[in-house]
DNA sequence: AAGTTGTTGACAAACTTACTCATATTTAAA
DNA sequence: TTTAAATATGAGTAAGTTTGTCAACAACTT
């Protein structure tokens, strides 16, 4: 039930990009300094977000990173799935990365207690994170 | 955001103990066989549950394990906390195992976006798991 | 006393996390 | 056209976690 550092850093980095959205691009060192993130690790994270189509980058002088999409069109659920994988506590209740559990004694039965319980947990988590936009998220920064 | 095998096995083992509650004690091999759990690993798990006061054990012939508490008085949240640790996605929003995050730029500020978001996730998860009793959980088995 | 069970601690392979490093590639400016 | 500044990429890695296994021991029943 844990959020990795990768996702935490990714979310915090996206705050900076959201705050300067359509105003400026940010270089990794600026993001790293403002959010206290190890720069080389941050790079990997930004790259993953780029490959996933959330962020654009430019090399060379005057390079840097920027959001591609509007902050209100990016959800925390998307980001965490990109960086950490599925939100579901167990893969047999994942909607985005379902996998059948084969060694489970309830595998082919109509009801599995674990599935029932964890299914509701999954729904609760994604109900929150898939409706929590980066815009809302970054707004928590301003008044802090 | 993942449930470990340890917790999954622990929960499944507790189903068996709940089903025979006040009727019989169960030996590890019976539990292991019914729920397809590696027996040596199961032993460790049952021991943790015993130390936490959920389960009792007897050695020697006719030995085995049994629930100490009523199934309706045990919640999935308790079990998972024993086996996997805190439910909170990040320790700075945990109520049972709070830890201050020190390298976070929002550490001493009144608001942290990550805390806000993950706080609601934690509340949702514990809202479900701390009110989901082992009795409810095991009931999913019967009709399956 | 014998046999069956749980208890304990050590061990370990495989995997994941959270990085670091070296090197290449692209871009802008001198 | 060289050079400085920036991202891109892949490899590597130390430490920790997960998911077990194994062996010796202790306690209980018959």
């Amino acid at each position: 039930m844990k959020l990795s550092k990768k996702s935490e850093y990714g979310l915090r980095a996206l705050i900076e990009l959201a705050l300067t959205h359509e105003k400026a691009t940010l270089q990794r060192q600026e993001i790293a300094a403002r959010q206290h993130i190890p720069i080389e690790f941050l790079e990997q994270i930004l790259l993953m977000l780029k490959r996933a189509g959330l962020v654009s980058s430019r090399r060379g002088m005057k390079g840097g990173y920027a959001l591609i999409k509007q902050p209100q069109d990016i959800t925390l659920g998307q980001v965490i799935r990109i960086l950490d994988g599925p939100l579901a506590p167990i893969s047999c209740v994942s909607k985005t990365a379902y996998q059948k559990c084969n060694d489970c004694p309830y595998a082919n039965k109509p009801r599995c207690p674990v599935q029932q319980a964890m299914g509701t947990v999954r729904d609760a988590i994604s109900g929150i994170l898939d409706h929590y936009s980066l815009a809302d998220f970054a707004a928590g920064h301003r008044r802090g």
Side-chain angles (χ1 to χ4, degrees), chain A:
Chain A
M1 309 280 181
K2 232 179 131 205
L3 188 78
S4 72
K5 282 288 175 189
K6 191 186 278 185
S7 279
E8 188 200 326
Y9 291 159
L11 290 173
R12 296 220 314 258
L14 287 174
I15 291 175
E16 298 300 329
L17 291 176
L19 293 176
T20 59
H21 181 52
E22 285 173 346
K23 285 178 251 169
T25 68
L26 283 180
Q27 297 182 345
R28 19 171 234 177
Q29 57 206 356
E30 301 180 77
I31 300 172
R34 288 184 201 173
Q35 291 285 342
H36 299 168
I37 302 171
I39 192 165
E40 314 275 2
F41 194 23
L42 174 62
E43 203 169 88
Q44 287 185 11
I45 294 167
L46 289 169
L47 200 55
M48 292 178 78
L49 295 175
K50 182 192 174 181
R51 292 208 184 102
L54 264 57
V55 153
S56 68
S57 66
R58 252 182 61 180
R59 298 209 236 196
M61 275 182 119
K62 294 239 170 192
Y65 296 89
L67 280 187
I68 290 182
K69 308 169 87 171
Q70 299 292 324
Q72 53 270 29
D73 294 337
I74 299 176
T75 69
L76 304 195
Q78 282 174 48
V79 176
I80 294 173
R81 280 199 193 85
I82 291 165
L83 297 174
D84 265 6
L87 297 182
I90 195 169
S91 56
C92 62
V93 300
S94 174
K95 286 182 183 166
T96 63
Y98 172 81
Q99 274 192 323
K100 194 163 66 175
C101 36
N102 42 7
D103 65 334
C104 175
Y106 303 96
N108 291 320
K109 306 221 173 154
R111 287 162 175 275
C112 168
V114 177
Q115 276 192 18
Q116 273 185 255
M118 292 304 141
T120 69
V121 172
R122 191 220 89 95
D123 291 344
I125 294 175
S126 80
I128 293 167
L129 294 179
D130 285 335
H131 295 93
Y132 210 123
S133 79
L134 184 55
D136 299 335
F137 186 64
H141 170 99
R142 280 280 181 220
R143 294 177 294 185

